[in-house]
Amino acid sequence: MDYETIVGLEVHAQLLTNTKLFCACSTEFGVGDNENTCPICTAMPGALPVLNKRVVDFAILTGLALNCKIRSHNVFARKNYFYPDLPKGYQISQFEDPICVGGKLSFLNEGKEETIGITRIHMEEDAGKSTHHGTFSLINLNRSSVPLLEIVSEPDFRSPKQAAEYMRYLRSVLLYLGVCDGNMEEGNLRCDANVSVRKKGETKFGTRVEIKNINSFRFVEKAIEYEAGRQIDLIESGQKVSQETRLYDPDKNRTISMRSKEEAHDYRYFPDPDLLPISVDNQWVEKIKNMLPELPLEKLKRFMKEYNLPQYDSEILTDKKEMALYFEEVAKNSKNPKAASNWIMGDLLRILNEQKKDITQAPITARQLADLILNIDSAKISGKIAKTLFDELATGKHAGLSIDEIISKNNLAQVTDTKAIEVVIDKIMTANSGQVEQYRAGKEKVFGFFVGQVMKEMKGQGNPQIVNDLLKKKLKGGE
Ligand code: ADP
Ligand code: MG
Ligand code: ZN
């Protein structure tokens, strides 16, 4: 029997604000335990929350990027539960009145554009962190009250791969917007995957299982794949899927039961009496709309059209906005977008990978790469010399110099002077008279040998076309 996998994702993105959601504590990562805390985020009696307005700005910006309706009436609600890393005994979140609803997001999945629905986006605070050490546990509240956006999708995904691609693209969008750093290892972007299966042709959804806190793209795909298989096995053996919360164990590649699924009413949500409702008016939304950048998929389409690049290249070049910026600078200054893309996709990415660097730390500036391409296109230097030069630049060898300075200082310009090339050819022919005889007797294969020798003598700087033409003429016996 054929089954269909149904997935909905709840993505949590930590916002790139300097301070927390309801207090002035820093959100900086990696400081000493409990250093970023105050009476508000440690829940001292009488401490009152004060809303960080920037969080609302970021929520609106994200909502607009995801084509949501921005709601004017916003309420913070208390979500009540006990856990040692939640000192207030409740998390401040949004429940009935989230800031954004009814959006959609289009992204590429194996080269095809797909669109999934966004149910809602709401603002909430993070909890602290507990670590367990044998007989005792420790609590670190640095994360307590750090702002998060929860982005909830419709149950629109039909494959693990599709869900992972959405997650990748969503990360790219959040980075473009500058609202989240997308660092999944530090847990700044993570998701819960809701998974159910149903028999093909069935119109009702099956019982869903929620897999909590997945923190890599690969695990999103693997966890969903495993979970769907587990559910199908249960149904096929006559059992029922129970609604529950599970955890993914990447080492064993399986999900394990954590607890039976809680319902919204279990949390006793109610409007937080310490915080006033926020009214988001049109003017506020319009102001944020003006800050909306060109998003990765729009940029990708523009690159394909404007620069005539393949979809694959455009996808890689637009994944990060700094990469897109670098590309456009090289393309415009070199007037050769195709070469710009080839150099970046090939040599530059290889070097960044080797040096474990980001495009913002590229050892070759966009200006230098553009100049390199200009010099190749005007035949001032050969492609081969350009490659060597590129690798040298990557090691920092010519730091601070322009491409033109490097070329003249190191005498790298290609030799197009026919007289100079002829001198070399004559020398090589004299030294290899045996091969000249062979060539003239019809063994045309030795031609390659002569090209090699001449180029070697000229340190690769002979213009290949001229070397070829002159060699042919001279070998044939012409003067
Ligand atoms: P909860 O807080 O209980 O997890 P939410 O409304 O926040 O509820 O999230 C529900 C998520 O589960 C959404 O992403 C939704 O698309 C998804 N979902 C709902 N029903 C199903 C289903 N039958 N199968 C898979 N996903 C589902
Ligand atoms: Mg959930
Ligand atoms: Zn604080």
Side-chain angles (χ1 to χ4, degrees):
M1 179 54 102
D2 258 2
Y3 285 84
E4 185 174 40
T5 305
I6 312 284
V7 179
L9 293 183
E10 295 162 73
V11 173
H12 289 91
Q14 182 178 320
L15 294 177
L16 270 178
T17 54
N18 297 325
T19 57
K20 295 187 179 180
L21 180 49
F22 298 116
C23 63
C25 288
S26 163
T27 54
E28 196 186 341
F29 185 79
V31 301
D33 292 346
N34 294 304
E35 269 181 27
N36 290 344
T37 56
C38 74
I40 297 172
C41 55
T42 55
M44 293 298 128
L48 290 171
V50 178
L51 177 65
N52 180 345
K53 180 164 173 282
R54 214 167 155 74
V55 172
V56 186
D57 288 343
F58 280 179
I60 298 171
L61 186 64
T62 308
L64 291 172
L66 271 50
N67 306 289
C68 291
K69 178 176 172 294
I70 311 299
R71 295 181 61 262
S72 62
H73 185 63
N74 274 275
V75 175
F76 281 105
R78 291 185 178 181
K79 182 180 181 180
N80 299 279
Y81 67 97
F82 169 78
Y83 202 74
D85 63 21
L86 188 74
K88 291 197 295 295
Y90 58 86
Q91 175 195 27
I92 305 178
S93 180
Q94 291 191 286
F95 183 54
E96 281 168 333
D97 293 299
I99 184 144
C100 313
V101 293
K104 60 181 179 3
L105 187 65
S106 300
F107 55 99
L108 293 182
N109 179 15
E110 282 168 355
K112 281 220 318 285
E113 186 171 333
E114 290 173 351
T115 303
I116 66 101
I118 304 289
T119 315
R120 57 184 271 155
I121 304 177
H122 67 249
M123 303 172 275
E124 63 183 26
E125 59 179 351
D126 208 346
K129 194 178 167 165
S130 342
T131 47
H132 308 290
H133 308 264
T135 56
F136 64 94
S137 296
L138 294 172
I139 311 280
N140 181 352
L141 294 177
N142 283 346
R143 239 195 163 112
S144 167
S145 204
V146 157
L148 304 177
L149 281 189
E150 177 168 335
I151 304 166
V152 182
S153 86
E154 290 289 308
D156 284 349
F157 302 102
R158 292 295 175 269
S159 78
K161 175 86 181 1
Q162 194 190 20
E165 290 303 334
Y166 159 83
M167 187 77 188
R168 280 199 180 89
Y169 184 68
L170 180 58
R171 176 175 183 273
S172 175
V173 169
L174 296 172
L175 286 167
Y176 263 63
L177 299 176
V179 300
C180 174
D181 70 9
N183 188 329
M184 299 181 84
E185 279 119 66
E186 286 178 10
N188 301 347
L189 186 69
R190 50 194 194 260
C191 84
D192 305 340
N194 293 271
V195 183
S196 66
V197 297
R198 67 179 173 195
K199 290 186 174 145
K200 280 249 165 80
E202 181 75 59
T203 49
K204 265 179 48 204
F205 286 149
T207 306
R208 75 168 150 132
V209 161
E210 179 169 352
I211 313 167
K212 279 275 177 205
N213 276 332
I214 312 174
N215 67 348
S216 95
F217 300 124
R218 211 163 52 87
F219 295 166
V220 171
E221 204 168 332
K222 292 231 165 219
I224 297 170
E225 210 164 80
Y226 171 86
E227 179 56 27
R230 190 189 68 87
Q231 293 182 13
I232 293 168
D233 288 348
L234 279 177
I235 296 168
E236 286 291 290
S237 64
Q239 290 166 274
K240 272 208 167 86
V241 175
S242 45
Q243 182 159 338
E244 60 180 348
T245 301
R246 297 178 73 91
L247 275 182
Y248 177 63
D249 177 352
D251 297 329
K252 300 209 172 76
N253 186 31
R254 58 180 188 146
T255 60
I256 39 183
S257 183
M258 197 175 149
R259 56 176 188 248
S260 69
K261 172 78 183 152
E262 62 291 337
E263 305 276 349
H265 62 249
D266 296 329
Y267 289 114
R268 298 293 188 268
Y269 279 99
F270 66 92
D272 192 317
D274 288 341
L275 289 156
L276 288 171
I278 325 155
S279 172
V280 177
D281 59 12
N282 264 342
Q283 217 183 334
W284 192 349
V285 176
E286 284 306 314
K287 200 183 103 205
I288 301 288
K289 212 176 252 172
N290 288 330
M291 292 160 50
L292 209 60
E294 182 183 36
L295 293 172
L297 188 60
E298 299 169 49
K299 213 186 262 297
L300 181 155
K301 288 179 183 168
R302 180 167 65 78
F303 277 17
M304 288 174 68
K305 229 177 114 193
E306 194 174 323
Y307 302 115
N308 207 8
L309 297 180
Q311 189 190 53
Y312 177 78
D313 302 31
S314 307
E315 202 174 346
I316 290 178
L317 294 173
T318 55
D319 181 47
K320 287 215 179 75
K321 72 172 169 211
E322 293 81 6
M323 177 63 87
L325 200 74
Y326 186 101
F327 163 76
E328 289 211 274
E329 211 181 316
V330 180
K332 293 224 160 81
N333 287 321
S334 68
K335 299 180 184 65
N336 189 343
K338 186 70 211 158
S341 162
N342 286 342
W343 276 98
I344 295 172
M345 300 274 300
D347 300 74
L348 187 67
L349 285 182
R350 169 178 55 82
I351 278 175
L352 292 178
N353 197 29
E354 277 168 18
Q355 302 185 353
K356 300 200 179 1
K357 279 184 178 157
D358 198 65
I359 182 69
T360 57
Q361 311 156 303
I364 295 146
T365 64
R367 180 75 248 181
Q368 284 177 318
L369 184 51
D371 285 344
L372 200 63
I373 296 170
L374 281 171
N375 276 297
I376 304 166
D377 290 350
S378 67
K380 184 161 171 202
I381 58 172
S382 68
K384 212 173 148 191
I385 294 276
K387 289 257 181 223
T388 314
L389 196 51
F390 186 92
D391 284 337
E392 287 178 3
L393 283 163
T395 64
K397 189 172 165 191
H398 305 287
L401 294 179
S402 73
I403 294 292
D404 288 339
E405 284 166 338
I406 302 166
I407 291 172
S408 66
K409 210 175 127 198
N410 298 281
N411 225 349
L412 297 175
Q414 185 160 255
V415 179
T416 47
D417 175 0
T418 50
K419 286 261 155 32
I421 296 175
E422 273 183 89
V423 171
V424 179
I425 292 178
D426 289 341
K427 184 176 153 197
I428 298 289
M429 281 175 65
T430 315
N432 300 282
S433 51
Q435 276 90 338
V436 176
E437 290 310 312
Q438 286 177 11
Y439 182 84
R440 287 183 178 156
K443 199 177 167 197
E444 298 205 352
K445 269 202 295 196
V446 291
F447 186 73
F449 162 80
F450 282 105
V451 174
Q453 291 295 309
V454 172
M455 280 307 213
K456 195 172 157 201
E457 180 73 21
M458 300 189 71
K459 299 196 180 67
Q461 285 167 253
N463 177 306
Q465 194 56 53
I466 303 178
V467 168
N468 262 282
D469 292 349
L470 285 177
L471 252 178
K472 266 204 186 112
K473 206 169 90 190
K474 291 204 169 252
L475 280 171
K476 290 221 165 83
E479 264 315 296

